[in-house]
Amino acid sequence: MVAASPNPIHNEKIEAIELPVIDLSAERSQVRNLIVKACEDYGFFKVINHGVPQDIVAKLEEQSLSFFAKTMAEKQRAGPAIPLGYGCKTIGFNGDMGEVEYLLFNTNPISVAQRSKTISNEPTKFSSAVSGYIEAMKDLACEILDLIGEGLWVPDTSVFSRLIRDVENDSFFRLNHYPHHLNKDCTSNINSSCSSKVGFGAHNDPQILTLLRSNDVGGLQISPQDGLWVPAPSDPTAFWVNVGDLLQAMTNGRFVSVRHRALNNSSNSKSRMSMAYFATPPLNACINALPEMVTPEKPRLYKPFTWGEYKSTLYSLRLGDTRLNLFRASTSDELAS
């Protein structure tokens, strides 16, 4: 559920900027204000002291690395990813490519358990590790979304998290593996002279919120403005949080859906693995700007749409395209509202 773009262009600028780090154990009013500011300034921040038990992370990492260490023939039994399951290099349905292999899951425990049968020789152990991690991510995402509701001073502070807690939520979970050398059956003609290849190209996440954790190998970058890329240093003990398209729409553009990518540094002898939880509402959930976010000075930017409609748009475009622009409100839409 992310979107890829072509290889990086030569005239882009890489700049080290200190990105927001938020201690979730700090005083609550301070935390919520810092989160709102980070969402406004970058659409991206790191959380520490998040309360996610290390053993939950360790179990999933062990099970995941065991899968990705298998032969290509063994891994392909868990695919193809259409969209769930195992995929390699091909991202989405419209020709997007990357130096990555991955597993994509719906977060429903029954779905995870069923898919684990083609992934692991110990499917119960694997599905338990995945579902345990997903549940921890859901709790953390809801906590952050409630803090956002408080920080925005909206009357219903659970307006965002309620969409994720809904039993019909359409959330997804993705394991991305960026190997030092992809199997010869999983390679294509990407310029081998580049020391850092595009692992997962520039994209905006379409959902509400993403929680991302990786091992101690770097590669993640965000783009706060066109042509500028900022590395996000690896921290296996923390989680990076980024705003998705739906949260940008619900805050009427006050928060920004950050563009980001992952590079696969071929000079690094250790592979990178990331775990991404995409907090997503039910398909029939209506996405609309909160009334408190709309003023005469800041009229409604986007017309109402359902997540199902937005998801259909994702599959009809190149995955790296900017999709929110297709849902811009016209003057007549604003007058009607």
Side-chain angles (χ1 to χ4, degrees), residues 171-223:
S171 297
F172 284 81
F173 176 63
R174 186 176 187 123
L175 290 163
N176 288 322
H177 184 238
Y178 304 89
H180 176 47
H181 292 295
L182 284 174
N183 184 287
K184 65 179 180 179
D185 296 327
C186 187
T187 57
S188 69
N189 55 354
I190 290 182
N191 183 6
S192 60
S193 66
C194 295
S195 61
S196 290
K197 299 177 182 179
V198 174
F200 217 113
H203 63 278
N204 301 75
D205 287 348
Q207 298 85 5
I208 294 178
L209 202 72
T210 303
L211 297 181
L212 181 69
R213 182 261 176 197
S214 69
N215 58 1
D216 57 354
V217 179
L220 178 64
Q221 298 178 342
I222 69 165
S223 181

Side-chain angles (χ1 to χ4, degrees), residues 67 70 74-75 77-79 114-120 123:
F67 170 79
K70 291 182 176 183
E74 290 175 309
K75 288 184 285 192
R77 293 173 191 157
Q114 185 65 32
R115 193 154 296 279
S116 296
K117 295 176 182 179
T118 63
I119 294 173
S120 174

Side-chain angles (χ1 to χ4, degrees), residues 8 32 70 77 93 96 98 100 103 123 140 157 160 166 177 181 198 204 211 217 225 249 256 267 300-301 303:
R32 68 194 186 200
K70 291 182 176 183
R77 293 173 191 157
F93 304 102
D96 296 277
V100 63
L103 284 169
L140 180 57
T157 57
F160 304 114
D166 192 303
H177 184 238
H181 292 295
V198 174
N204 301 75
L211 297 181
V217 179
Q225 62 188 62
V256 58
S267 66
R300 191 178 307 276
L301 294 178
K303 57 187 177 184

Side-chain angles (χ1 to χ4, degrees), residues 39-40 247-257 289 293 298 301-302:
C39 290
E40 292 173 336
L247 192 53
Q248 177 172 323
M250 293 181 75
T251 59
N252 202 35
R254 180 169 171 179
F255 290 179
V256 58
S257 177
M293 301 292 106
K298 186 69 180 293
L301 294 178
Y302 308 102

